[in-house]
């Protein structure tokens, strides 16, 4: 199929946050659209509050489809009726046909406006959803009504083909298949706790028919071959074959079979993002345009929602808004990276980079690597090794929530800082592989990619060096500040183009000061993984309405930066080293202002108090329960399924232990 499958990975999200994302995807003006919510929560939580939230999230797909059923039926019937009139070959009255089309657009626009009126608006994200997603689409339809009304007043009409296209547009808006998929319900799929494997689990099923089979380990999915075998058994049983049983005859039902359609394109979308109405249409058109056959991924790096209520959300949003401009330049030099919040991906390109392994007897297909926590960056290099390119679309068509407090921002930025160094060897391999081909990597592309992956490392250590090194007048020259001036001027210009203030460059400087320990922690985690080979756990950014407490160390460190800067001020005042005095005073003022604005004095006290409590508290060790044997005393208590599949695990473990003891005794 040439359609688009929208994949929305979600874990422990607020249902209202996910709902907005799903609606913005469902209302895309695109034919053959599927929206799949990839729920990664544990499927059977014991906490009643967690279960209630999970059930509310599970119900979203059905609610959206039910809400869209009536408008979809109406516009489908209207389109079918028009095509029926065309097939009859009769002369169509232009005035009548235009009026019928106006009526359908009036209905569609009124339906969207009615939905907008019923939406509850509690924050700036809700306001964006109502104004630019729902009402934005309604305003587009009103423009069509205005044009058609003018045509009718002028006693003219669009051609038959154009009228057919206008009817089809309405069917594109309201026809969508919305489903939910939970990989953790199936023992045959990877349960690795990260977004990449959540996406990979569904991608590996696309284009296949899968038979659900209950085993001692849980439900597994068998491919088409297993399904065909089951069908043969069922047919044999129906024919009275002695080998087949009545159970096998009834084993294959519609409930047992999972159909996962394949599509030419996949849209990955974070659960806290919103798309404008023509996102799919524009980006798929770019991929389909001549000359773009080698483009694997196109995206619009997300922008922040306007009107954020907190200072930290506004300034963090400013830093992400700049990325949109930066990626325009990187696209110009062929060095764009995939930014994971949203992207349209050519499915065929993913098949080029897939790695297949076997885990627990089941095939695991890994399209998007989860070796690091910045899976989108690593996948960009993997695609480049196979000759694919990435393109950033030049308009802002996607928006994502920015962490509203320091605690959730720490989680996000620490993850962003972790992994870039680990990917550099892959870039070296890409350079070597493309050398001597008709499309070698140019030096400018290499430099931009290295800067993108390693800039947090050298910028963090460089800033730490600037803060700590005891400069004197011989080392600290005014030329150092002049060298940095073009960078800050360019940043200020970009901020102004993004709708922010030029003076935000100072707020971002203070923002980076308080985030310095967070970035350093992410870099050190990368070095730890490089030395040990242990995979760093993927930590999702909390997307909840309540404040997330920050680790005490990351709250204390900015205060230490202020204290050390004040100490440097005092020392350089006594030495008469006025250049370093001014630099340290500037750092102290910027860091102190950032603490007050972005962390908060009261929140700092609470987070450090909680940190001390967590440090003092030691949970009592629970005795490790011994795994019970699956061969109890009575046959009625025997777990016969596990016995057939695995044997007695405890017996096998005891036998292994005896063998190990014999080996050790022999060695002695």
């Amino acid at each position: 199929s040439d359609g688009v499958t929208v994949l929305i990975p979600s874990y422990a999200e607020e249902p209202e946050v996910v709902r907005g994302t799903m609606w913005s995807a469902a209302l895309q003006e695109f034919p053959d659209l599927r929206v799949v919510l990839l729920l990664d929560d544990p499927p059977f939580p014991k906490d009643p509050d967690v279960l209630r939230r999970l059930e509310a999230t599970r119900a979203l797909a059905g609610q959206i489809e039910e809400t869209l059923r009536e408008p979809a039926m109406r516009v489908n019937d209207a389109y079918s009726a028009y095509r029926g009139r065309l097939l009859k070959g009769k002369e169509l009255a232009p005035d009548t046909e235009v009026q019928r089309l106006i009526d359908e657009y009036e209905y569609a626009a009124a339906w969207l406006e009615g939905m907008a009126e019923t939406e509850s608006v509690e924050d700036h994200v809700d306001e964006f959803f109502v104004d630019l997603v729902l009402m934005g689409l309604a305003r587009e339809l009103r423009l069509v009504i205005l044009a058609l009304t003018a045509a009718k007043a002028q006693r003219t009409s669009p051609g038959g083909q154009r009228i057919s296209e206008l009817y089809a547009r309405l069917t594109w808006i309201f026809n969508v298949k919305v489903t939910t998929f939970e990989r953790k319900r199936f023992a045959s799929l990877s349960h690795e706790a990260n977004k990449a494997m959540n996406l990979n689990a569904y991608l590996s099923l696309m284009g296949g028919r899968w038979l659900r089979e209950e085993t001692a380990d849980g439900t597994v999915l068998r491919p088409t071959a297993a399904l065909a075998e089951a069908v043969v058994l069922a047919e044999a049983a129906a024919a009275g074959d002695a080998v087949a049983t009545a159970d096998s005859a009834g084993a294959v039902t519609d409930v047992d079979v999972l159909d996962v359609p394949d599509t030419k394109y996949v849209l990955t979308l974070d659960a806290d993002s919103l798309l404008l109405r023509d996102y799919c249409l524009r980006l798929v058109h770019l991929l389909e345009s001549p000359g773009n056959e080698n483009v694997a991924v196109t995206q619009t790096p997300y922008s922040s929602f306007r009107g954020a209520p907190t200072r930290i959300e506004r300034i963090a949003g400013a830093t992400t808004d700049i990325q949109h401009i930066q990626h325009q330049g990187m696209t110009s030099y062929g060095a764009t990276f995939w930014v994971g919040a949203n992207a349209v991906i050519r499915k065929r390109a993913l098949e080029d980079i897939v790695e297949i392994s076997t885990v627990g007897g089941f095939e695991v297909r890994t399209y998007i690597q989860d070796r690091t926590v910045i899976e989108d960056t690593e996948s960009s290099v993997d695609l480049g090794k196979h000759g694919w390119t990435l393109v950033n679309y030049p308009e802002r068509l996607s928006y994502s929530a920015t962490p509203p407090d320091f605690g959730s921002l720490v989680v996000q930025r620490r993850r962003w800082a972790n992994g870039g160094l680990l990917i550099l060897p892959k870039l070296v391999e890409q350079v070597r592989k493309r050398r001597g081909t008709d499309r070698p990597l140019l030096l400018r592309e290499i430099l931009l990619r290295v800067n993108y992956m390693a800039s947090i490392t050298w910028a963090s250590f460089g800033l730490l060096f600037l803060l700590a090194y005891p400069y004197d007048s011989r080392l600290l020259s005014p030329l150092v500040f002049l060298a940095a001036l073009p960078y800050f001027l360019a940043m200020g210009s970009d901020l102004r183009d993004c709708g922010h203030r030029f003076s935000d460059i100072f707020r971002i400087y203070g923002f980076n000061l308080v985030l310095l320990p967070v970035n350093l922690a992410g870099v050190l985690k990368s070095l730890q993984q490089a030395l040990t080979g242990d995979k760093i756990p993927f930590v999702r950014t909390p997307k909840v309405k309540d404040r997330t407490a920050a680790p005490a160390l990351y709250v204390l460190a900015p205060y230490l930066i202020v204290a050390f800067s004040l100490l440097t001020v005092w020392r350089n005042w006594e030495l008469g080293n006025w250049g370093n005095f001014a630099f340290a005073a500037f750092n102290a003022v910027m860091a102190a202002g950032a603490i007050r604005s972005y962390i908060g004095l009261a929140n700092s006290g609470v987070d450090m108090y909680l940190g001390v409590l967590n440090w003092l508290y030691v949970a009592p060790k629970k005795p490790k329960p011994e795994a019970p044997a699956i061969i109890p005393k009575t046959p009625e208590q025997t777990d016969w399924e596990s016995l057939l599949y695995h044997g007695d695990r405890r017996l096998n473990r005891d036998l292994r232990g005896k063998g190990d003891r014999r080996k050790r005794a022999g060695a002695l």
Side-chain angles (χ1 to χ4, degrees), residues 555 559 600-610:
V555 176
Y559 285 92
L601 300 180
N603 291 338
S604 299
V606 171
D607 291 349
M608 283 193 275
Y609 173 74
L610 292 175

Side-chain angles (χ1 to χ4, degrees), residues 303-319:
S303 303
S304 61
F305 295 114
R306 295 295 184 264
T310 63
R311 291 188 180 95
I312 190 170
E313 194 170 354
R314 290 197 293 270
I315 207 66
T319 62

